[in-house]
C-alpha cells in the first residue's frame, strides 16, 4: 500500500497548487446543516412512488425517459423483489457469442451465448474462440462438485469454553441439519466444518442449493442455525454472527480456489494444428510458450490461480442472464492450461471452482434476463448444472482467443479497430 517519497511529494505539490492547506482541509471536513431529502418509498414500486423519487432528482424529462421508458414503466412491479428505491432500468448492449458446441454431462449441443457488455472486442473474441472449439468437435466439460457455504462465528471467553462448545455442537449435527433445511425446499446441508482461532469458533456450513445460485438460501438457513445454537448451547457464546468472512463470499480466496464455492467445472478441447493456424494465425508451440511466460507473470504478481480473463466473459454472461454480478469477484479465479500434443495439436483446459450460478430465483426472473436464459434454452429448473458447464466452456473459448491474439500480435490491433470505430 505504500508509495515512493517522490510520488507522494509530487501529489502533495499538485494539491497545494489548487489551494492552501486550510482550503484543502475545509473541503474534507464534515459539513452539518440542512439535510437533503431522503429517497422516498423504500422498497415500494408503483407509478406514484417512482414519480416521487424522480422529483427528488430534479432531472430533465429526457434523463427520466432514458431510464424509465414505456416498457420499463409497464413492467416495474416485476422488479419489486430485486431492487429498492427503483427509478428505472439501464440498457446494456447484448451480443451473441457462438455457436459454441458443448459436450457435457448436463449441457449438450450448440449454444449461442448472450453476453451483455459495453466493452468492444469482447463478444468478437469469445465468438471466435467458440467457433474454433465448435470446428474441433466441441469442448468436453464436467461438473465436478457443488456447494455454497456460509461461515458463522461464535466467540467465547477462553479455550475452556471453546472446548465445551465444540464437544456439544459436534454432537448436534443431525439437529443442525434439520434446522437448516426447515427454512428451504431446495437447500440441503451437506457438511459442517469447524476451525478454532483463539477463543473464536468459525463454522463452515456447506449446502447444495438446487437450481438456485443460493446466496440468500444459505444465509437464511444459517441464521436459523445460529439462532438455534445460541438458544440451546449449554456453553453460551459471548456473541455470534451469521457470517464471519471465512466463506469466501464475493471475494477471491485461496480456500475457494482449492475447494468449491458454487459449482466447480472443468472443460477441455484439443485443437488440430491446422485449425490453430487458420483461426488464430499462430502455432500451438507459440501459444504454449506464451502461456508459460504469462503463468510466471501471474505468479510474480501474486495472482490467485492462473488465467487470462475469465472475468470478461463471466461478467457479460452474469449481467445478461440475471446472475449476481458481484460474484464474478470469486467466480473469475481458476486455472487455464495449454499443452502441445505429440501430433502438434493444442490441448487447452480451464478449471473454475467458484461458479456461483443458477437458473431460478434472483435476477433470473427479470424479463430481459429470462429472455437471455431462454435463448440458451436453460431457463428455469433443472438447468443450473448445464448453465455452469456452458459458462466454463465460454471461458475456455475466451482463453483460447485472447492468447491466440497475443501470440499473433493482434490483441492491440483488434481493440483499436473495434473500440475506436475503425470498421
Amino acid at each position: 500500500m505504500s508509495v515512493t517519497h517522490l510520488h507522494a511529494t509530487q501529489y502533495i505539490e499538485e494539491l497545494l497548487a489548487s489551494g492552501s492547506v486550510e482550503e484543502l482541509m475545509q473541503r474534507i471536513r464534515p459539513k452539518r446543516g440542512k439535510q437533503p431529502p431522503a429517497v422516498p418509498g423504500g422498497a415500494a414500486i408503483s407509478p406514484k412512488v417512482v414519480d416521487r423519487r424522480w422529483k427528488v432528482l430534479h432531472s430533465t424529462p429526457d434523463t427520466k425517459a432514458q431510464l424509465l421508458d414505456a416498457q420499463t414503466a409497464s413492467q416495474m412491479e416485476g422488479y419489486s423483489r430485486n431492487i429498492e428505491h427503483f427509478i428505472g432500468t439501464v440498457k446494456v448492449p447484448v451480443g451473441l457469442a457462438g455457436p459454441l458446441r458443448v459436450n457435457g454431462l448436463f449441457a449438450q449441443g450448440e449454444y449461442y451465448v448472450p453476453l451483455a457488455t459495453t466493452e468492444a472486442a469482447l463478444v468478437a473474441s469469445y465468438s471466435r474462440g467458440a467457433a474454433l472449439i465448435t470446428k474441433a468437435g466441441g469442448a468436453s466439460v464436467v461438473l465436478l462438485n457443488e456447494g455454497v457455504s456460509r461461515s458463522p462465528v461464535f466467540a467465547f471467553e477462553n479455550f475452556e469454553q471453546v472446548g465445551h462448545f465444540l464437544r456439544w455442537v459436534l454432537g448436534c449435527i443431525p439437529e443442525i441439519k434439520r434446522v437448516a433445511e426447515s427454512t428451504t425446499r431446495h437447500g440441503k446441508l451437506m457438511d459442517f466444518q469447524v476451525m478454532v482461532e483463539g477463543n473464536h469458533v468459525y463454522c463452515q456450513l456447506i449446502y447444495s442449493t438446487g437450481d438456485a445460485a443460493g446466496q440468500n438460501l444459505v444465509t437464511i438457513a444459517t441464521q436459523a442455525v445460529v439462532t438455534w445454537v445460541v438458544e440451546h448451547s449449554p456453553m453460551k457464546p459471548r456473541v455470534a454472527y451469521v457470517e464471519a468472512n471465512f466463506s469466501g463470499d464475493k471475494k477471491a480466496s485461496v480456500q475457494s480456489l482449492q475447494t468449491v464455492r458454487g459449482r466447480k467445472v472443468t472443460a477441455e478441447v484439443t485443437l488440430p494444428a491446422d485449425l490453430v493456424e487458420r483461426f488464430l494465425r499462430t502455432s500451438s508451440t507459440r501459444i504454449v510458450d506464451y502461456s508459460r511466460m504469462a503463468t510466471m507473470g501471474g505468479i510474480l504478481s501474486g495472482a490467485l490461480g492462473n488465467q487470462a480473463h475469465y472475468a470478461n466473459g463471466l461478467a457479460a454472461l452474469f449481467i445478461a442472464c440475471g446472475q449476481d454480478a458481484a460474484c464474478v469477484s470469486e467466480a473469475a479465479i481458476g486455472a487455464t492450461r495449454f499443452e502441445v500434443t505429440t501430433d502438434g495439436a493444442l490441448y487447452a483446459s480451464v478449471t473454475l471452482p467458484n461458479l456461483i450460478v443458477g437458473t431460478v430465483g434472483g435476477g433470473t426472473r427479470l424479463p430481459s434476463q429470462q429472455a437471455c436464459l431462454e435463448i440458451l434454452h436453460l431457463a428455469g429448473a433443472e438447468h443450473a448444472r448445464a448453465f455452469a458447464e456452458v459458462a466454463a466452456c465460454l471461458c475456455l473459448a475466451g482463453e483460447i482467443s485472447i492468447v491466440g491474439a497475443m501470440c499473433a500480435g493482434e490483441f492491440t490491433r483488434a481493440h483499436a479497430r473495434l473500440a475506436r470505430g475503425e470498421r
Side-chain angles (χ1 to χ4, degrees), residues 159-379:
F159 287 152
E160 181 179 346
Q161 292 185 0
V162 166
H164 287 300
F165 174 76
L166 287 174
R167 182 181 179 186
W168 172 81
V169 79
L170 293 175
C172 296
I173 303 304
E175 185 64 13
I176 287 173
K177 181 177 173 65
R178 183 197 66 76
V179 170
E181 294 177 4
S182 71
T183 66
T184 171
R185 291 179 298 163
H186 307 291
K188 300 295 181 184
L189 181 62
M190 300 189 301
D191 199 5
F192 183 97
Q193 303 171 357
V194 295
M195 189 182 82
V196 175
E197 188 283 314
N199 57 357
H200 295 168
V201 177
Y202 291 81
C203 299
Q204 189 88 302
L205 280 70
I206 303 172
Y207 301 81
S208 63
T209 59
D211 286 289
Q215 298 281 62
N216 290 337
L217 180 158
V218 302
T219 299
I220 293 169
T222 304
Q223 182 61 65
V225 169
V226 171
T227 301
W228 184 88
V229 167
V230 170
E231 181 180 347
H232 291 85
S233 175
M235 184 56 64
K236 299 298 181 185
R238 179 169 49 83
V239 68
Y241 299 102
V242 71
E243 172 58 48
N245 211 25
F246 184 59
S247 67
D249 186 4
K250 296 183 180 175
K251 57 189 69 69
S253 70
V254 172
Q255 175 179 255
S256 295
L257 181 65
Q258 294 175 338
T259 56
V260 61
R261 182 170 160 78
R263 306 178 202 271
K264 182 176 183 177
V265 187
T266 189
E268 66 176 9
V269 68
T270 299
L271 306 172
D274 63 319
L275 284 183
V276 173
E277 293 171 3
R278 179 149 50 98
F279 272 76
L280 302 179
R281 292 173 288 279
T282 187
S283 67
S284 303
T285 301
R286 182 122 187 210
I287 286 177
V288 171
D289 185 55
Y290 170 82
S291 176
R292 187 182 303 111
M293 286 184 277
T295 298
M296 179 55 67
I299 291 171
L300 294 173
S301 74
L304 285 175
N306 167 52
Q307 43 88 19
H309 69 149
Y310 293 169
N312 265 332
L314 291 179
L317 180 68
F318 280 21
I319 294 169
C321 295
Q323 310 302 304
D324 187 337
C327 286
V328 170
S329 59
E330 58 184 306
I333 65 172
T336 296
R337 185 157 51 84
F338 294 100
E339 295 178 359
V340 179
T341 66
T342 54
D343 60 355
L346 179 68
Y347 172 86
S349 72
V350 297
T351 301
L352 295 95
N354 300 304
L355 286 172
I356 302 279
V357 296
T359 54
V360 300
T364 66
R365 295 181 292 242
L366 300 180
S368 297
Q369 289 75 7
Q370 183 81 9
C372 286
L373 285 170
E374 288 171 356
I375 287 172
L376 288 166
H377 303 289
L378 295 177

Side-chain angles (χ1 to χ4, degrees), residues 5-49:
H5 72 281
L6 292 175
H7 182 78
T9 300
Q10 182 182 9
Y11 182 57
I12 291 172
E13 289 175 352
E14 289 176 359
L15 289 176
L16 291 175
S18 65
S20 66
V21 171
E22 178 56 32
E23 288 171 335
L24 294 174
M25 293 301 103
Q26 184 59 36
R27 293 180 195 176
I28 65 174
R29 288 173 184 148
K31 297 173 179 63
R32 298 176 176 83
K34 184 179 179 181
Q35 296 296 304
V39 179
I45 295 181
S46 69
K48 183 177 180 180
V49 171

